[in-house]
Amino acid sequence: MVKKMTLKLALSGLKNHLKDYFILFSGLTISAAIFYMFQTLAANPLFLKSNTYLSSIVVIFNLGTFLLAIITFAYLNYANNFLISLRSRIYAMYLMLGAKSRKIAQLIFLETIVIGFLAILTGIVCGIILTQLISRLLIKQLDLSLIHYSPWNNQAILVTLIFFLFIFVFFALKNARKLVYTPILKLLNQEKTPVRAHKNPLLWGGEIIAGIVLLAIGYWALAHLDKLNVNGIFMAIITIVSGSYFVFDSLFLAIIQSLQHRPNFALKRLHSFTLGQLNFRLRDLTKLLAMISIMFALALGAITVGIGFHRDIATITNVCSDYDFILHDPSTRELDQVNNLKLTDTSVYHYKIASNKVYWLVDDFNLKPFNHVIPNGSFNPIKYSHVTGKQMLKDKNQWLSILQSYLGDTSTILPGGFLSKKEFETKTGKEHIINLYVLKNFMAEKNQIKPLVLADNKKIKLDVNRDSTQKYNMFFVINGMLSGFEFMGLFLGIAFLAMLASCLMFKILSGANNDMHRYQILKQIGARHQLLEYSIAQEIGTIFLLPALLGVVHVLFGLQMFKVTNLIYEPYKNLIIPIGIFLVLYAFYYLVTDFIYQKKVLRK
Amino acid sequence: MTSIVAVQQVKKVYGKVHEEKTVALKNVNFQVETGEFIGIMGASGSGKSTLLNILSTIDRPTSGQVLINGYDITKLRGNKLSDFRAHQIGFIFQDFNLLEDLTVEENIALPLSLEEMSPKRIKALVTLISKKLSISSILKKYPAEISGGQKQRAAAARALITKPAILLGDEPTGSLDSSSARELLNTMTNLNQKDKISILLVTHDPVSASFCQRILFIKDGVIGKELRRNNLDRISFYHQILNEVESFES
Ligand SMILES: Nc1ncnc2c1ncn2[C@@H]1O[C@H](COP(=O)(O)OP(=O)(O)O)[C@@H](O)[C@H]1O
Ligand SMILES: [Mg+2]
């Protein structure tokens, strides 16, 4: 009998709130999928080692896992509160009807575990599928070279399973406890009666100033990270986190309240209502919004850095080699292929190998000077010197060894000298040609030259990893080194974004049941439907916008960190792209939240 | 005299196609004259709220017609419906329905803000109506900070500020103590007599009903009887109602 009732009770909620459960469930699933996907990277040292030349990346990935774990926990906390908001009323009702609180506690414990467990399983399956898709799509798109990246990974499955189970058991216990210890009345009526904020204006002003000063100190610390090192990071974390909190607790509230006191604004349409909602909401949301602004900055920063690394691949590759590609003794078939490329410059130099010594035809260099990158300590701008044969003769040994490096495996040959046309013709020995090309756009045509380069590598028995003359080889090495960072930056950025936006979404939707009543009243007063929609869009928009604004400011100042530490060259270049991508995704979450919320509160 | 409300053959059946049906209103017919203070009385479950919800356009009748100030309200949809609510009717409920996150002043001003009236005029009208309802001193407070009686007067001020054709009330004194209830009813009587505002109340409370000029008794979804106060004083009318309730409801 009791069992039957509890079962009925558990199912009754499901039926009435099918859509809400769907939102909740998909949210949990996504977070589990994201966690799993990151684990397939982090838990696969084989992948990490073979993809990067830096052992420190394993540490970086572990740091990433740590960050992801924290945000996942915060996120699940909001999702759980959403679940509670769906259930507490009906549970309280049954408690009032005489159901034993122990029974109900057991029930909510079970319910949380079951939902959680199903979400983990679905999440892992989704994670495997998504991993497969991403490794196909994204990696191809970005020229990422991710070897050994297999979608199915036992260790990742295990870690994800344990981590999420642990969290869900924690929340299940918390929910059960909460239900037993919270008075029924409070469960029944979760609506919080707004209380007036009694703020001392002097303290308030002080808080605003303190917030701004703290942020300024944090930004300053990031901009001087080259001198402050680790201390700077700690300093920035503390000041920016507390500064963000103060700004939300004081500055934004002050703006809203000052708007409330301007009749020309406040007494227009539903402004007074929207401002009133925001006034109370913001106070309730201070901590969440401050956290979101930080997470927003981390996510946007990660994407920016990811894209920065992507750009670095091209920038670094560009200055590493004198020419875009090189062919040794090309066949006519190879020359035909070269003709299909968009070339801006071609140089042909002759040399002979006689008794293990290399002799270059100096007239070739007078005819067509040799391009040489002058290293100037930075990656931009690149300056070339155009070296003629005459100039080479002045510093013979240096140029002979530079040219020697263009010949691949030189274990059996030594630099010989420069010969005039006459001397060259009479020299006995095998004659060779080397063709040096400059392309209009290396990055755009690198896939076309790839087969030519690979064949040439074989021909001259080149040690790919130590070669810097063939640009494509350099690209291969640099890409392998940086694409791991790039992938992680993009991945973490998007994962963070998805979760922080969902945190906001769940928080806002958890309040929808209480807000419904207010919109009912507005309808009765005669507010038109479009006006209500507009007011909701404005209110939720502000809640989404404020942390985004502060987050963008964090990023703009925070990127100084990469500039002064030289980790990324030109971190501010094309900043509009990551910000654009990010804001589009964020706006998508806003629209979804707005849509669901409207559906809920304006329902007839 | 012209009628401000005309209810013709209104029927309301709850329950969707495959659900069990409840007939809340069988066949309701009556009219309210302009400037009248009318009460509709009935036991709990007799269909009073259903009737008031239909009059206030929150719900629609299953069949029948309702005219308010010339509008056939059963045919109104969308923006026309919203505008009708904003201009033609004001209502107050047992649970006040004030917006908790707005001050009393902002609550009262809200219907005018919707009309895009100038802030200056809004302020003037709010001042005027709050004097009439003696709530000038609590304008800056939030609903949570004032008493039930004050809340209901604030709600009445918000309902009346657009000068509606009729004020509708569903047990407006239901959550008030007897002295605040009396104050509110006196205020309403004043509004009716001095400002010629038409008022329609539904109530099960004979004291509230005794402030009306005419009372319709509803039972099992039909109006069964009518009582006029004429020139009777309130106390005598109250006793007449008590007698009527006893005989009508048994
Ligand atoms: N939404 C509804 N769905 C089904 N039945 C309802 C609904 N609202 C009211 N009723 C039924 O209609 C009848 C009249 O209710 P109501 O108008 O609320 O009465 P009163 O306000 O006079 O107490 C009652 O039998 C009630 O159970
Ligand atoms: Mg009722």
Side-chain angles (χ1 to χ4, degrees), chain A residues 78-93:
Chain A
Y78 282 103
N80 184 56
N81 286 344
F82 181 64
L83 173 72
I84 287 285
S85 82
L86 291 179
R87 296 304 265 158
S88 60
R89 214 173 265 257
I90 194 157
Y91 278 133
M93 227 121 81

Side-chain angles (χ1 to χ4, degrees), chain B residues 14-15 22-24 42-51 59 170-171 218:
Chain B
Y14 285 112
T22 314
V23 182
S44 174
S46 57
K48 303 183 298 292
S49 295
T50 304
L51 178 60
D59 208 346
D170 187 355
E171 314 258 11
I218 185 168

